[in-house]
Amino acid sequence: NEYRTVVLYFMDQDDALAVHGEMKQMENMAKQDLRITCFSLGKALRQAGNLGNGLPTGSPPDELTGEMKTPQEGGTLRYKVVPPKRQLYYAARCIGKERVGLFNGNPAEDAQMAVFGNAAIESQNLMRRREKRERKTSQKFSPMQLQNLHMNGYTGIPVFYAPEMKRVPPLLKRVLTGTKHEVPLFFNYEDMVDAWDKLRQCNAKNPIPE
């Protein structure tokens, strides 16, 4: 069911505050005690990884049959990690944007959709999934889109990296794992840019591209 109730884990505080404000403006939610709490990424991913009916909510089973209540009755919940729209905006202008489900031919259109927010992104994803089910003729895709067709109609969590940015792990780790270099991954594009600038400053004798 595309419209089932889900619990949202936000990776950006501003996104969580925006949804919190929208919910407080609803007439039936105005008097509710709505709070924003913090969880570890590991817990969020573990819970979001349970597909199907999701996880039990703690609602007691039926007293006569002992069966768990259905999702419609509040017996289970699905969890979803919401990608930060700010980082989706940056991802829309990077090579490989199709890997996180940004399939518009014009990067500016993907960036604009990210600015509109999660509701607009999810609405577009629903439309794309319906088009895939109902399409009778083949559609032309770029080589990058063909490699990531499974993401068409879905939005992933963008992670940024620069291939030239590498770090040398501690000696013991190099000996035990045989790893000579590690490429750091960043959930935040600005953090990657800051790390890149620091790397260039520390290697003034060896020019590093901007």
Side-chain angles (χ1 to χ4, degrees):
N1 185 357
E2 294 177 339
Y3 301 99
R4 67 177 299 165
T5 303
V6 297
V7 176
L8 301 178
Y9 282 119
F10 294 91
M11 297 188 66
D12 189 298
Q13 178 184 355
D14 293 335
D15 292 346
L17 289 172
V19 173
H20 180 270
E22 292 174 1
M23 294 184 68
K24 290 292 288 184
Q25 292 178 6
M26 297 179 183
E27 183 177 353
N28 61 333
M29 302 293 289
K31 297 182 180 180
Q32 299 296 324
D33 184 17
L34 300 178
R35 302 183 184 184
I36 298 176
T37 57
C38 181
F39 288 91
S40 68
L41 178 61
K43 179 176 180 179
L45 292 177
R46 286 196 302 271
Q47 291 187 319
N50 288 273
L51 305 179
N53 290 331
L55 292 173
T57 61
S59 179
D62 187 278
E63 295 181 356
L64 298 178
T65 64
E67 295 181 353
M68 184 73 69
K69 294 182 179 179
T70 64
Q72 291 74 19
E73 297 172 329
T76 59
L77 272 177
R78 286 278 295 274
Y79 295 79
K80 178 181 178 181
V81 179
V82 181
K85 66 178 183 180
R86 183 182 182 90
Q87 305 310 319
L88 286 174
Y89 172 83
Y90 290 124
R93 301 180 179 276
C94 293
I95 297 174
K97 65 186 182 69
E98 293 83 1
R99 294 170 182 150
V100 291
L102 302 176
F103 266 67
N104 282 317
N106 186 354
E109 295 179 5
D110 282 322
Q112 186 179 35
M113 186 61 63
V115 171
F116 287 157
N118 295 304
I121 294 172
E122 187 57 32
S123 177
Q124 184 186 61
N125 286 339
L126 284 172
M127 182 178 65
R128 287 184 178 277
R129 292 199 291 269
R130 288 173 182 169
E131 287 178 351
K132 284 198 301 184
R133 292 195 298 264
E134 299 171 359
R135 185 182 299 121
K136 297 181 180 179
T137 58
S138 59
Q139 184 179 0
K140 293 183 178 180
F141 292 103
S142 67
M144 180 66 75
Q145 289 175 335
L146 288 173
Q147 294 176 12
N148 299 277
L149 280 180
H150 62 285
M151 290 302 300
N152 189 13
Y154 300 92
T155 304
I157 301 171
V159 178
F160 304 92
Y161 78 100
E164 297 85 357
M165 187 187 301
K166 300 177 182 179
R167 65 182 293 271
V168 179
L171 176 60
L172 182 59
K173 186 174 182 179
R174 296 202 304 269
V175 173
L176 294 177
T177 64
T179 302
K180 297 182 179 179
H181 297 93
E182 294 177 336
V183 177
L185 303 178
F186 297 85
F187 284 109
N188 189 296
Y189 179 83
E190 292 101 330
D191 290 345
M192 186 193 70
V193 173
D194 290 341
W196 183 258
D197 290 339
K198 292 178 181 178
L199 180 64
R200 294 179 66 246
Q201 293 174 5
C202 295
N203 293 270
K205 296 183 179 179
N206 300 319
I208 298 177
E210 294 186 4

